[in-house]
Amino acid sequence: MILDYEVLKFIWWVLVGVLFIGFAVTDGMDMGVGTLLPFLGKSDSERRVIINTVGPHWDGNQVWLITAAGAIFAAWPLVYATAFSGFYFAMLLALFALFFRPVGFDYRSKIDNRHWRNAWDWGLFIGGAVPALVFGIAFGNLLQGVPFHLDNLLRPYYTGGFFGLLNPFALLAGLVSLGMLVMHAAVWLQLRTGEPIAGRAKRMVKRAGLFTIAAFALAGLWLTLGIDGYQVSAMPALDATPNPLTKQVEIVPYAWLTNYATHPWTLLFPLLGFAGLGLAILLSQRDRAGLGLVASSLGVTGIIVTAGAAMFPFIMPSSTDPNSSLIVWDAVSSHLTLTVMFWAAMIFVPLILMYTTWTYTKMWRRVTVEEIEAQDHLAY
């Protein structure tokens, strides 16, 4: 079956969004656990408990990030080229921070020395907190527009600098990202650990959850009142051969609210974000961490989809040359490429879901300090 080109373009926008949500819910949780490690674990045994809750899963969860990056490269090559040029140093910072995770997990237990293990614990903190913050900062910059333009050969030229990315709104978006993943991880630790770690995690759920709700609300208000959005005023047919320079784009106040005004049902997305976070806090405080994890997953999904729906059809707006902005309809690969990749995704995304579900099902139990101390041969 050959799908219509216009339909495929939209399907790939949805698929990439699904991959990012899968990454945030699974590997983002692992990052949050790494961020909390030095603070919720008061002894070496307690920190080993925390690490062992994600030890069997973290490398499999990274498949979501790798798959999302590969999907962007295949489906949106212009976005991949422009983003990795403009955000080059930010991406390197996230990548180098991520290096601490596999090395930290594997090397931490090799030497029974307090200073050695403490050093790797802080390495795991960096490997969790820095990427979570950087990814949020990157998205905050997308909502404001990125300083780049395309020449007549569609070659991207980035005209900004690294420190320009660290603007106030982007930093707030980074804090939203970090806060939601920390809260999500805290619910996980409350569910998967015994006392006293579970009690500390329970308190962290409330703190991080309330912080994320406040930061998400502030970011939404700031975006509404203080940041102009982008709007396509003219472009070829949606199934035309992609060429970003054949459209016209305007910067318009309140444009990021257009989709919500045109399609009121999309207001369910921010409501899902707020309701999911709030319900996760409530369930956590009532010691229903299992349902709380589901609620926090829905909250994370709601936050991501809220931003995606606000920007649609934009993927990477240009602040210096709006007509060079990359959107769903003109930043994509050929019809054949999208078709082949679509069927590949129909095969492998369900396999990833099945594998992830199987691993969590088989290893679903609480990890306790007594178990860790009794089985000193455990890997982490």
Side-chain angles (χ1 to χ4, degrees), residues 233-248:
S233 56
M235 69 173 297
L238 300 184
D239 59 352
T241 301
N243 184 345
L245 297 180
T246 58
K247 67 179 180 300
Q248 295 180 9

Side-chain angles (χ1 to χ4, degrees), residues 136-156:
I137 288 173
F139 215 100
N141 279 281
L142 291 179
L143 287 164
Q144 298 174 92
V146 181
F148 77 93
H149 66 274
L150 303 174
D151 67 9
N152 292 332
L153 298 177
L154 300 184
R155 293 177 299 188

Side-chain angles (χ1 to χ4, degrees), residues 220 223-225 229 254-262 310:
L223 188 67
T224 301
L225 301 178
Y254 312 113
W256 290 144
L257 300 180
T258 300
N259 288 332
Y260 291 108
T262 306

Side-chain angles (χ1 to χ4, degrees), residues 41-234:
K42 303 302 183 181
S43 67
D44 179 64
S45 295
E46 290 182 358
R47 292 182 180 184
R48 289 181 64 202
V49 166
I50 293 172
I51 293 172
N52 272 276
T53 63
V54 296
H57 309 293
W58 72 269
D59 48 353
N61 290 340
Q62 283 201 143
V63 171
W64 290 99
L65 177 60
I66 297 168
T67 306
I72 292 174
F73 174 76
W76 300 337
L78 267 178
V79 176
Y80 186 91
T82 306
F84 277 79
S85 296
F87 298 153
Y88 185 75
F89 290 107
M91 293 296 182
L92 278 182
L93 178 62
L95 183 61
F96 287 147
L98 285 171
F99 287 165
F100 281 104
R101 294 212 299 165
V103 180
F105 283 127
D106 288 340
Y107 281 17
R108 183 189 187 277
S109 61
K110 300 304 182 185
I111 300 177
D112 187 8
N113 177 276
R114 181 171 60 88
H115 299 293
W116 170 268
R117 293 188 174 186
N118 284 344
W120 285 117
D121 290 341
W122 284 105
L124 291 171
F125 165 81
I126 293 171
V130 172
L133 192 63
V134 168
F135 294 149
I137 288 173
F139 215 100
N141 279 281
L142 291 179
L143 287 164
Q144 298 174 92
V146 181
F148 77 93
H149 66 274
L150 303 174
D151 67 9
N152 292 332
L153 298 177
L154 300 184
R155 293 177 299 188
Y157 290 88
Y158 180 73
T159 55
F162 171 75
F163 292 103
L165 300 175
L166 305 179
N167 56 79
F169 178 78
L171 291 173
L172 176 60
L175 291 176
V176 173
S177 173
L178 180 61
M180 73 178 186
L181 296 183
V182 166
M183 186 214 69
H184 189 48
V187 179
W188 167 260
L189 290 175
Q190 182 184 359
L191 177 64
R192 292 295 309 278
T193 64
E195 294 295 342
I197 302 171
R200 297 180 196 133
K202 177 179 177 179
R203 292 189 291 271
M204 182 57 69
V205 170
K206 184 176 181 179
R207 295 168 187 167
L210 291 176
F211 172 83
T212 306
I213 289 173
F216 183 42
L218 178 59
L221 185 63
W222 193 338
L223 188 67
T224 301
L225 301 178
I227 297 176
D228 294 336
Y230 291 72
Q231 181 175 292
V232 178
S233 56

Side-chain angles (χ1 to χ4, degrees), residues 57 188 191-192 290 293 359-366:
H57 309 293
W188 167 260
L191 177 64
R192 292 295 309 278
L293 187 66
T359 57
Y360 278 100
T361 301
K362 289 297 182 180
M363 304 176 193
W364 192 265
R365 59 182 176 79
R366 286 185 182 270

